[in-house]
Amino acid sequence: MKRRLFVGAAALLMATAMMAQGGKFAMKGTIKNANGEKIFLRYGSQEKPVLDSAVVKKGKFTFKGVMNKPYSLALLYMGSLEGRVDDVKYVQFSLEPANFTAVIDADQFRQAVIHGGKTQEESNALNASLAEVNKKLEELNDAYYKASGEAREAIKEQMEPYSQKAKKAREDFFKTHPDSYLSPQFLRYSTGDMTYAELKGVYNSFSDDVKKYGECEDIVKEINALERVQPGKTAPDFTANDINGKPFTMSSLKGHVTIIDFWASWCVPCRKSNPHMLEVYKKYRAKGLEMVYVSDDDSNPKAWHTAVEKDKLKGDGFHHVLRGMKWDRSKGAAGIDHTNDISDKYAIHYLPTKYLIDQQGRIVGKVESDEWLEQQLERLLGKAKYPFTINGTVAKAEGKTVALSYGSRENTKTATAVVKDGAFTLSGVLDKPYASGQIILGEWDRMKGGDACQLALEEGTFTINAPTGKIADALIKGGKAQDDLNTYNAELKPVMDPLMALNTQYNNAKNEKQREAIGKKMEPLRKQYADYVHHYMLTHPDSYISAQNLMMDMGRMSYEEIKKVYNGFTEKVRLYGETKEIEEEIDALGKTQPGAEAPDFTANDINGQSFTLSSLKGKVVILDFWASWCVPCRKSNPHMKALYEKYHDKGLDMVYVSDDDSNEGAWRKAVEKDGLVGDGFHHVLRGLKRTAQGYDKTNDISQQYAIHYIPTKYLIDREGKIVCRIDEGQDELLDQKLAELLK
């Protein structure tokens, strides 16, 4: 008896253990429109799923099996699971050790009705409460895939309130049903919207059975990933090949403040965010900021490279890598490999997502707003301000005003002081590490000038000593940039002194013959000056003076020459030198190279009618930049009129862009006097507006085409593409190209 009792108890314990692990299930199903076809049942883990099949006979099928755990998310399906989700015949349900029934129409497989088991019945009840919502979502989803463009966006907006209702119902369920196997299933789809504390709190509320046997693996991974990126944690390290094919390791940036930005070329909000991030980089780079961009473009590296170039995310402090997710699409979801996925390490669900990392390599936090980022960067790196002080002494100037102007053209700052006991002090704050400045002593006449000198301002203290009483001759010390400027001026002095003397003679000449003679004397000195400036730019790539020279000389240089010099500059000079206009010039010239689409514009014509350049596609166009006051332009007009009369009937139109915004009367008179009238003539003003702060170039057509001298012409073919640029004296080239286009 004792032996039998012992054996019975052991058997009972084994049965109980087996039930805790799983048990038997059975399904009886009926299905329409599928007689003789196979139906499949898939359940178990993603890594090792159990796959069973049955043949539909007389519209019926059955499945039986033994589960090794009490719950599994299962699929019933026909055919293949590959392809677009909406095209696959499948239905998902909750499988448990229980008896199930299924009623299916093969032509509407996803509308299957399945009963059996506690969890499936919970699912049915929830779906019943959301029947109207789900029906509307399916209708809108079908409409979405049939639509395109703006219609799709409108449908997405319509779907949003229904999606939110369904999401809210699922969230309410997992918060109030801690012992349901559905809860982790619903929670998985909300993890990206929850904080670490919220997610961990919900998961910890689940029963032990749900934690052990529910679909919790991804939730646990998410909690662990979020834990790794909590404030104060060391940023997860990784090594990946950068955009240039060289290994990059995240931890190599310790000692720097770093923004790690998860983005993609196809992500619209990411691309909209990039200009601001570029400004943040420029503002704080000098103080030690680094930028790591992790792109979700593994499947399209070409688009990645193009986006980085187009958004100008380049510089010594930029580090670009791909996220590292591999996907064998032929295997569907099973073909996704997250082994080296950087986005997984940082729990990334949405793009863009950014994290700020301190000098010790610790997570400061997720970037939730521009204001928060600015506050934290100021805390870690200090305000991006660069104070300076100028202590000056000047003889014979007691009581005179000393005025300093500095900064950009858009944001010019000023400071003044009065000379007292032969001395003065000026101070200010730069918004970036460098700015050119000018000091004026006494009165300044716009036409005649006055006593002034240039400064190369940086953070720190400067001294100015003018023992002769003339600021223009002062000795200035303070900072590397000023040292560079002093050396530059000293080396140019043997050329500049005689050149300026001749220039004074030229301006005071009594007649054209004298001016011509003086001009010939000036020519070799001008060449010496130009050669020195060009040589300086190439041999001093780390000097802010080089950037100033390039800005002044780029109107005489080709696109390739400007790019070569600019690209040779160090990052410091590119970021903080006088480079804004250079970058705009490179951008404009790049868009007007032969073969490029002619930059489009819309402006009111001479009759007050709206004119758009692209409206002339299908015609050959000469785009002529000129002005009523420009002598070479007016001399060129008879030849342009002759070309118009010769080729207009063959498809030539003329677009004249005039630099007469400040004198429309003179513009109209010149058009009439030069006979630039006819159906194929289109006259507009360049669109430059004078403001109290300077000039507004927002609608400046000349700026779009990098115009520095007039006349300048562009020849545009019938497809709206640029054929060539025609500068003054190149009429033969224009005649030749026109003859080729309009045979």
Side-chain angles (χ1 to χ4, degrees):
M1 287 293 292
K2 288 182 181 179
R3 183 175 180 83
R4 287 180 186 173
L5 180 61
F6 177 78
V7 172
L12 180 61
L13 286 169
M14 289 176 66
T16 303
M18 182 177 181
M19 287 304 294
Q21 292 297 315
K24 295 179 180 180
F25 70 88
M27 173 176 279
K28 291 182 179 181
T30 61
I31 185 167
K32 294 180 182 179
N33 305 315
N35 214 35
E37 293 187 47
K38 270 190 175 183
I39 185 167
F40 298 91
L41 171 65
R42 177 185 173 124
Y43 62 98
S45 66
Q46 288 187 1
E47 295 77 14
K48 292 183 179 180
V50 177
L51 185 62
D52 198 359
S53 65
V55 177
V56 178
K57 294 180 181 179
K58 296 181 181 181
K60 296 181 179 181
F61 65 90
T62 60
F63 284 108
K64 292 182 179 180
V66 177
M67 301 176 65
N68 62 2
K69 63 176 188 174
Y71 170 76
S72 181
L73 201 58
L75 287 178
L76 277 176
Y77 66 95
M78 297 182 71
S80 171
L81 288 175
E82 299 301 320
R84 196 167 72 92
V85 173
D86 288 349
D87 296 332
V88 178
K89 292 183 176 182
Y90 81 99
V91 65
Q92 184 174 280
F93 72 102
S94 297
L95 185 62
E96 294 176 289
N99 293 321
F100 290 82
T101 62
V103 179
I104 306 171
D105 182 338
D107 295 334
Q108 293 181 305
F109 209 98
R110 294 176 66 184
Q111 305 302 319
V113 177
I114 300 174
H115 286 284
K118 171 179 172 289
T119 310
Q120 182 60 32
E121 294 306 330
E122 289 173 337
S123 180
N124 291 342
L126 183 62
N127 286 333
S129 71
L130 289 169
E132 291 301 317
V133 171
N134 289 335
K135 181 182 178 182
K136 192 65 179 177
L137 280 172
E138 286 186 13
E139 290 173 358
L140 290 170
N141 192 56
D142 288 340
Y144 178 84
Y145 280 106
K146 291 175 184 175
S148 60
E150 292 183 3
R152 272 195 166 190
E153 292 304 311
I155 294 169
K156 276 177 71 175
E157 287 185 15
Q158 293 177 48
M159 292 173 73
E160 186 61 24
Y162 296 101
S163 298
Q164 288 300 320
K165 283 182 181 179
K167 179 183 175 185
K168 179 69 166 54
R170 291 192 298 266
E171 288 179 350
D172 288 344
F173 187 94
F174 67 62
K175 289 177 181 178
T176 56
H177 292 73
D179 60 345
S180 172
Y181 291 118
L182 281 184
S183 290
Q185 182 180 324
F186 293 155
L187 179 58
R188 286 171 59 198
Y189 296 103
S190 294
T191 55
D193 299 321
M194 300 174 72
T195 66
Y196 170 66
E198 289 170 340
L199 179 60
K200 196 170 181 181
V202 173
Y203 174 74
N204 286 342
S205 73
F206 290 164
S207 68
D208 290 343
D209 275 357
V210 169
K211 287 179 184 175
K212 189 171 183 180
Y213 301 117
E215 301 289 332
C216 293
E217 184 179 356
D218 288 344
I219 297 169
V220 173
K221 284 182 180 177
E222 178 74 7
I223 289 171
N224 290 337
L226 285 172
E227 187 172 1
R228 290 195 296 267
V229 291
Q230 290 307 293
K233 294 284 187 178
T234 298
D237 201 14
F238 61 83
T239 297
N241 284 343
D242 68 13
I243 202 165
N244 300 311
K246 296 179 179 179
F248 166 76
T249 300
M250 183 68 189
S251 58
S252 68
L253 299 183
K254 273 192 177 179
H256 297 272
V257 171
T258 303
I259 297 171
I260 182 166
D261 192 333
F262 292 84
W263 75 303
S265 66
W266 45 261
C267 166
V268 175
C270 303
R271 303 295 294 276
K272 286 183 177 178
S273 167
N274 283 341
H276 176 68
M277 297 313 295
L278 186 57
E279 288 305 311
V280 169
Y281 174 76
K282 289 179 178 179
K283 188 173 182 180
Y284 288 100
R285 173 60 181 158
K287 291 183 174 288
L289 180 65
E290 301 274 340
M291 309 287 283
V292 177
Y293 271 67
V294 181
S295 173
D296 197 357
D297 279 300
D298 295 78
S299 61
N300 194 350
K302 185 177 180 181
W304 173 44
H305 281 256
T306 301
V308 169
E309 287 290 326
K310 189 171 183 179
D311 293 2
K312 300 178 181 178
L313 305 175
K314 300 190 298 180
D316 297 342
F318 277 99
H319 311 276
H320 291 279
V321 297
L322 293 168
R323 66 178 285 188
M325 184 182 78
K326 296 179 181 178
W327 189 3
D328 182 349
R329 295 178 185 273
S330 66
K331 297 179 182 178
I336 298 177
D337 179 4
H338 290 278
T339 306
N340 297 308
D341 188 350
I342 302 168
S343 293
D344 262 16
K345 289 176 181 284
Y346 283 80
I348 302 301
H349 294 283
Y350 304 108
L351 303 179
T353 296
K354 303 173 180 70
Y355 282 97
L356 181 62
I357 300 166
D358 69 14
Q359 291 93 332
Q360 286 71 45
R362 298 174 304 206
I363 299 280
V364 177
K366 185 185 285 188
V367 178
E368 301 291 355
S369 70
D370 294 342
E371 292 76 16
W372 179 88
L373 178 61
E374 187 76 20
Q375 289 169 2
Q376 296 301 322
L377 287 172
E378 286 188 6
R379 180 178 65 81
L380 293 167
L381 295 170
K383 284 193 175 183
K385 302 292 183 182
Y386 304 86
F388 66 86
T389 300
I390 301 170
N391 295 317
T393 57
V394 55
K396 308 170 187 175
E398 194 69 18
K400 285 188 176 182
T401 298
V402 181
L404 168 69
S405 64
Y406 63 99
S408 64
R409 291 185 181 180
E410 298 80 10
N411 184 25
T412 301
K413 296 181 179 181
T414 60
T416 60
V418 175
V419 178
K420 185 177 180 181
D421 298 329
F424 65 89
T425 298
L426 294 164
S427 61
V429 178
L430 304 176
D431 295 325
K432 58 180 186 175
Y434 170 80
S436 60
Q438 183 182 46
I439 282 190
I440 300 167
L441 177 62
E443 296 297 321
W444 177 268
D445 186 294
R446 186 175 177 185
M447 299 301 294
K448 297 180 181 179
D451 186 11
C453 67
Q454 297 296 315
L455 290 89
L457 289 171
E458 296 176 285
E459 183 176 9
T461 302
F462 291 75
T463 60
I464 294 180
N465 184 20
T468 65
K470 196 172 181 183
I471 282 286
D473 297 331
L475 175 63
I476 306 171
K477 291 185 178 181
K480 178 183 180 300
Q482 185 61 44
D483 288 345
D484 288 348
L485 181 59
N486 291 342
T487 302
Y488 173 83
N489 287 334
E491 291 180 353
L492 261 182
K493 188 174 174 57
V495 175
M496 290 302 296
D497 283 355
L499 185 59
M500 294 308 294
L502 286 170
N503 189 64
T504 300
Q505 293 178 29
Y506 183 91
N507 291 333
N508 295 329
K510 295 179 180 179
N511 53 53
E512 190 61 35
K513 186 177 180 180
Q514 286 183 354
R515 277 191 288 272
E516 187 176 337
I518 296 168
K520 286 181 180 179
K521 292 180 181 179
M522 294 174 73
E523 198 55 41
L525 291 171
R526 286 198 186 107
K527 187 176 185 309
Q528 286 182 52
Y529 168 80
D531 288 346
Y532 176 82
V533 168
H534 190 73
H535 177 73
Y536 187 93
M537 289 188 292
L538 293 175
T539 56
H540 294 77
D542 194 43
S543 173
Y544 292 121
I545 310 308
S546 294
Q548 286 177 221
N549 286 332
L550 180 57
M551 183 180 68
M552 298 298 294
D553 273 28
M554 62 187 181
R556 293 187 286 269
M557 299 168 67
S558 71
Y559 173 59
E560 293 300 332
E561 287 174 332
I562 298 170
K563 276 207 310 182
K564 179 182 177 182
V565 174
Y566 176 79
N567 289 337
F569 290 161
T570 61
E571 184 187 52
K572 178 192 79 173
V573 173
R574 291 197 305 271
L575 283 181
Y576 305 120
E578 305 292 332
T579 56
K580 183 180 178 181
E581 290 184 32
I582 299 170
E583 290 164 358
E584 290 173 351
E585 179 83 359
I586 291 171
D587 186 54
L589 285 172
K591 292 175 180 175
T592 55
Q593 293 302 293
E597 190 88 13
D600 202 13
F601 59 82
T602 297
N604 285 342
D605 68 14
I606 202 166
N607 300 310
Q609 302 297 312
S610 180
F611 167 75
T612 300
L613 180 64
S614 58
S615 68
L616 299 182
K617 276 192 177 180
K619 296 179 180 288
V620 172
V621 176
I622 295 175
L623 180 61
D624 194 332
F625 291 86
W626 75 304
S628 64
W629 46 263
C630 167
V631 175
C633 302
R634 303 293 293 275
K635 285 182 178 179
S636 168
N637 283 341
H639 180 63
M640 292 300 104
K641 186 178 178 183
L643 290 176
Y644 171 79
E645 291 170 351
K646 181 177 181 180
Y647 290 113
H648 178 55
D649 290 343
K650 293 185 178 182
L652 176 66
D653 267 28
M654 313 284 283
V655 178
Y656 271 66
V657 181
S658 173
D659 196 357
D660 279 299
D661 295 77
S662 60
N663 193 346
E664 290 192 28
W667 170 46
R668 294 175 186 277
K669 286 181 182 178
V671 169
E672 288 294 325
K673 186 173 183 179
D674 292 3
L676 306 176
V677 292
D679 293 340
F681 278 100
H682 311 275
H683 291 277
V684 298
L685 293 168
R686 67 179 282 189
L688 180 68
K689 294 180 181 178
R690 185 187 291 274
T691 69
Q693 291 73 36
Y695 290 99
D696 177 4
K697 298 182 180 181
T698 307
N699 299 308
D700 186 358
I701 303 168
S702 295
Q703 181 91 345
Q704 284 185 264
Y705 282 83
I707 303 300
H708 295 284
Y709 305 105
I710 51 177
T712 297
K713 302 173 179 67
Y714 280 94
L715 182 60
I716 302 169
D717 67 16
R718 295 182 191 274
E719 284 74 45
K721 294 182 178 178
I722 289 174
V723 177
C724 62
R725 176 175 173 138
I726 307 295
D727 291 316
E728 184 183 357
Q730 293 185 314
D731 287 350
E732 288 185 11
L733 175 62
L734 177 60
D735 294 351
Q736 175 196 331
K737 294 293 183 181
L738 266 180
E740 293 172 1
L741 289 171
L742 296 168
K743 291 177 182 177

